[in-house]
Amino acid sequence: MNGYEKVIGLEIHVELSTKTKIFCGCSTAFGAPPNTNICPVCMAMPGTLPVLNKKVVEYAVALGLALNCDITGKTVFDRKNYFYPDNPQNYQISQLYSPIGTNGYLQIGDDTPKKIGIHEIHMEEDAGKLIHDTNTGETKIDYNRAGVPLIEIVTEPDMRTAEEVTEFLKKLRATIQYLEISDCRMNEGSMRVDVNLSVHHPNDKYGTRTEMKNLNSFRAISNAIENEFDRQVALLESGNEVEQETRRWDDEKKCSYTMRSKEDAMDYRYFPEPDLAPVIISDRIIEKIKASKPEFREEKITRYMSDYSLSKPDAEAITEYKNFADIFEKTVGFGADPKKCANRLMGETIRLLKDKNIIPEDLIINAKSLAELIKITDAGTINSTVSKDIFEKIFDAAGDEFDVQSYIEKNGLAQLSDTGELDAIIQTVIADNEKSVNDYLSGKTKAMGFLIGQVMKQTHGKASPQLAEEMLKQKLDN
C-alpha cells in the first residue's frame, strides 16, 4: 500500500505444563473451581517465601536450546512492581536483567529460508484471571492461575507479513509441543501472543510501533495485523502521526481500540528479587538437557518420507500436531499400512474433528483399534462405507480400545463375497430399473452410479462397490 512495509515483532507467553506452580506446590490443573488451587505463598501472605520449581528451569533451558539461544550461566529473578486486582503480590517475579536465554533464532521458509531472531526468553509467573459478568456488571477474580509458570519469548522485529508471523508461530508451537513443555492451547490461554507493529518505507527508519493484545487464534492475529497496517498507513497518508500505544483487538468487530498510550505506561521499578538466590546453570546440566532432546517435526518429516515413502505434504500434515504423529507411529507399529494410516488422519479424522467441534490437540485415538480396522479393510472383509462408520466409533471411544472384529461379527457387517448371491441381486436391480439401464446403454455413464447405489441398498451396504460395478458393467455391456 503506497510502498509501505510492515515491521513486526512478537511477545509470546507460554504456560508450562508443570504439575505445580513456579514458586509453590499448588496444582496448575486447568479448569479447577475458582480459587481452589491457591495457598499462602501464591496469595502472598505475610511471612511466606517462594521456592523455585526446578522443572521450570529445565523446561526453559530446553526451549532456549531448541531456539538456538545462548544459555545464561548465572541467571537471576527480578521484581516487576505494579498494582492490579489479579496480582495478589502487587509485583510479579520475572526476569529483566539476566534472562535465561538470549540471541537465538528460529528458521522459517523451505524455499527461501529466513531466520527470525529471538531477542530473549525469560521465566516469570502468571497473574490471576479477571472474570467480567456482563449481566451484573461485577468483576470477580480467580487466583488459580496466579503463580503458574510462564516462559516469555521476545522476537526481533524481523517479520514483514502476516503469513510469516503465522508460519513462525506454528513452528514455535510445534517445537514447544514436541518438547512436551506446554500444550500451547490458545483457546485456554496457555499460548498468548502480543503483536508489535510499525510501518515504514523500505530503507527508511522504523516507524512508531503499537502493541496489540487479546489475540487468541492465528486467524485473529492475521486479521489484526492487516487491520493495524491499514490504520497506520491511513494515519500517515492523512498527515497524522502514529501514537505509541497498546491496543486491544476485538475479533467480532474486526477492529482494535486504544487500551493505554505511552504516557499511561507504568514505571515497573524493577529490582533484583531479594527472596530468590541466583540460579547457576552448569555446562553439565546443559549437556544433559541437550542429550534428552526429542525428534522434532522437521526430523520426523524427513524420516517419514524416507522410511514410510510418504510425500512431503502428507508428512507435513501428520506432524503439524505431536499427538497426530504419535498416533501415526503407534498405528504403524501395530502393522498398519503407513500411507493408509496417514490418509485416515488427514481425511476422516479432520472431518470428524470439525463436525464434533474438537480442537486437534484434543485428539485421542486407540492405535491398536485403528490398525485393526485398516488391516481388516485392506483384506476386503468390509467395504469402505462400513469402514468409515467403524472409524467414527473408534474416534468416539476417545482412546479406549474398540474391538473391530467382534463389532463386525455381531452386526453382520462383513462384506458380501458370495458372487452367486450378488449376481441374483444385480439381475433384480437391472430388471427393476429399466430407465437407468437404458440411460447407461445410451452413453449416460452417471446412471451406473445410481445402479450401484441400488445394489448397495439391496445388500444393506455389505456389497463391494467395486465388485458390484464390475459385475453390472459385465452384464450390461454384454
Side-chain angles (χ1 to χ4, degrees):
M1 184 184 291
N2 293 330
Y4 286 98
E5 178 183 63
K6 306 179 187 75
V7 178
I8 306 167
L10 305 175
E11 297 172 19
I12 305 116
H13 288 87
V14 175
E15 283 189 1
L16 299 181
S17 298
T18 55
K19 292 181 180 180
T20 57
K21 294 183 180 181
I22 186 169
F23 298 123
C24 69
C26 290
S27 170
T28 58
F30 179 81
N35 299 310
T36 54
N37 291 341
I38 58 175
C39 73
V41 175
C42 56
M43 291 303 294
M45 295 298 179
T48 59
L49 291 172
V51 177
L52 178 60
N53 186 337
K54 179 183 177 183
K55 187 63 71 174
V56 174
V57 180
E58 293 173 351
Y59 282 178
V61 172
L63 180 58
L65 293 172
L67 298 180
N68 305 290
C69 289
D70 298 327
I71 303 301
T72 306
K74 180 180 179 181
T75 183
V76 299
F77 286 92
D78 305 292
R79 280 193 188 181
K80 178 181 180 181
N81 296 276
Y82 69 95
F83 173 77
Y84 204 65
D86 62 3
N87 180 16
Q89 301 170 143
N90 292 335
Y91 61 85
Q92 178 191 37
I93 301 178
S94 181
Q95 291 190 298
L96 176 68
Y97 300 112
S98 62
I100 194 165
T102 57
N103 302 319
Y105 68 88
L106 189 64
Q107 184 169 293
I108 62 172
D110 291 330
D111 298 330
T112 54
K114 179 178 181 179
K115 290 182 178 180
I116 306 301
I118 306 297
H119 179 72
E120 68 175 60
I121 68 169
H122 61 259
M123 301 173 285
E124 62 185 24
E125 59 181 341
D126 208 346
K129 183 177 181 180
L130 297 179
I131 302 169
H132 305 287
D133 190 327
T134 55
N135 295 321
T136 64
E138 295 178 332
T139 295
K140 300 176 181 179
I141 309 173
D142 179 7
Y143 286 114
N144 281 347
R145 201 172 68 182
V148 168
L150 295 176
I151 290 181
E152 182 174 354
I153 303 130
V154 182
T155 77
E156 301 291 356
D158 290 342
M159 287 159 277
R160 295 294 178 266
T161 66
E163 291 75 20
E164 283 187 349
V165 170
T166 300
E167 184 178 355
F168 172 83
L169 287 172
K170 284 186 175 180
K171 186 166 185 178
L172 177 66
R173 178 184 65 180
T175 300
I176 294 170
Q177 288 177 340
Y178 275 87
L179 283 169
E180 297 186 328
I181 63 175
S182 175
D183 56 30
C184 292
R185 297 171 190 257
M186 296 184 76
N187 62 315
E188 294 180 1
S190 57
M191 181 176 177
R192 308 195 289 272
V193 180
D194 297 337
V195 174
N196 294 303
L197 185 147
S198 65
V199 302
H200 75 145
H201 288 106
N203 301 321
D204 288 352
K205 67 176 184 178
Y206 288 169
T208 302
R209 67 178 175 86
T210 61
E211 180 182 22
M212 284 181 290
K213 293 183 175 292
N214 195 40
L215 304 168
N216 52 20
S217 71
F218 292 136
R219 183 178 62 182
I221 291 167
S222 182
N223 288 338
I225 287 171
E226 298 303 337
N227 179 274
E228 180 61 10
F229 174 69
D230 292 343
R231 189 188 73 85
Q232 291 191 21
V233 170
L235 282 171
L236 296 173
E237 287 293 291
S238 63
N240 295 305
E241 294 183 352
V242 175
E243 293 185 11
Q244 185 173 334
E245 60 183 355
T246 301
R247 302 181 66 83
R248 182 179 178 86
W249 175 252
D250 188 323
D251 202 39
E252 290 187 6
K253 296 179 180 179
K254 298 293 184 291
C255 66
S256 63
Y257 57 89
T258 301
M259 290 177 63
R260 57 181 177 268
S261 67
K262 181 181 178 182
E263 288 70 26
D264 298 327
M266 301 177 70
D267 177 9
Y268 293 119
R269 305 188 317 280
Y270 280 97
F271 62 83
E273 169 57 53
D275 293 334
L276 288 167
V279 180
I280 308 300
I281 303 170
S282 67
D283 291 341
R284 181 181 60 82
I285 292 173
I286 292 174
E287 290 304 317
K288 182 179 178 181
I289 293 173
K290 276 184 181 179
S292 64
K293 82 175 183 67
E295 181 184 39
F296 287 112
R297 185 188 178 200
E298 291 73 19
E299 297 165 315
K300 283 189 183 292
I301 290 171
T302 301
R303 181 166 64 84
Y304 289 1
M305 292 169 64
S306 172
D307 292 359
Y308 304 127
S309 299
L310 296 184
S311 67
K312 188 173 183 180
D314 288 355
E316 289 176 338
I318 60 173
T319 56
E320 182 174 356
Y321 299 96
K322 184 180 183 297
N323 54 330
F324 273 62
D326 290 344
I327 293 167
F328 171 78
E329 292 194 19
K330 290 177 183 176
T331 304
V332 172
F334 281 113
D337 179 86
K339 178 63 178 174
K340 290 174 181 175
C341 178
N343 288 341
R344 294 272 182 177
L345 292 174
M346 294 183 298
E348 296 164 57
T349 302
I350 298 299
R351 177 184 63 80
L352 288 170
L353 287 171
K354 290 180 179 178
D355 290 349
K356 298 174 186 289
N357 197 29
I358 299 172
I359 62 173
E361 291 93 335
D362 281 343
L363 175 68
I364 305 174
I365 290 180
N366 186 281
K368 184 178 180 182
S369 299
L370 177 55
E372 184 184 9
L373 175 64
I374 292 172
K375 288 187 282 187
I376 286 174
T377 305
D378 282 352
T381 304
I382 56 176
N383 62 34
S384 59
T385 302
V386 173
S387 183
K388 286 182 180 180
D389 292 340
I390 294 176
F391 178 74
E392 184 165 357
K393 295 189 178 299
I394 294 173
F395 181 97
D396 291 338
D400 293 335
E401 188 171 345
F402 184 88
D403 193 330
V404 177
Q405 186 63 52
S406 295
Y407 182 80
I408 291 170
E409 293 172 359
K410 181 179 178 181
N411 293 277
L413 298 174
Q415 191 162 259
L416 182 61
S417 57
D418 186 336
T419 54
E421 183 180 350
L422 187 56
D423 184 77
I425 291 170
I426 286 174
Q427 290 192 55
T428 300
V429 168
I430 290 174
D432 292 346
N433 295 277
E434 185 176 350
K435 181 178 183 305
S436 294
V437 169
N438 290 332
D439 285 345
Y440 174 77
L441 294 175
S442 63
K444 297 179 180 178
T445 55
K446 288 185 178 180
M448 177 57 70
F450 173 80
L451 294 171
I452 294 171
Q454 294 303 302
V455 174
M456 298 303 294
K457 183 177 180 181
Q458 292 287 332
T459 61
H460 304 288
K462 293 193 289 182
S464 163
Q466 294 80 10
L467 181 59
E469 181 177 10
E470 181 183 325
M471 293 177 69
L472 273 166
K473 282 185 176 180
Q474 187 177 25
K475 286 188 176 296
L476 294 176
D477 291 345
N478 290 336

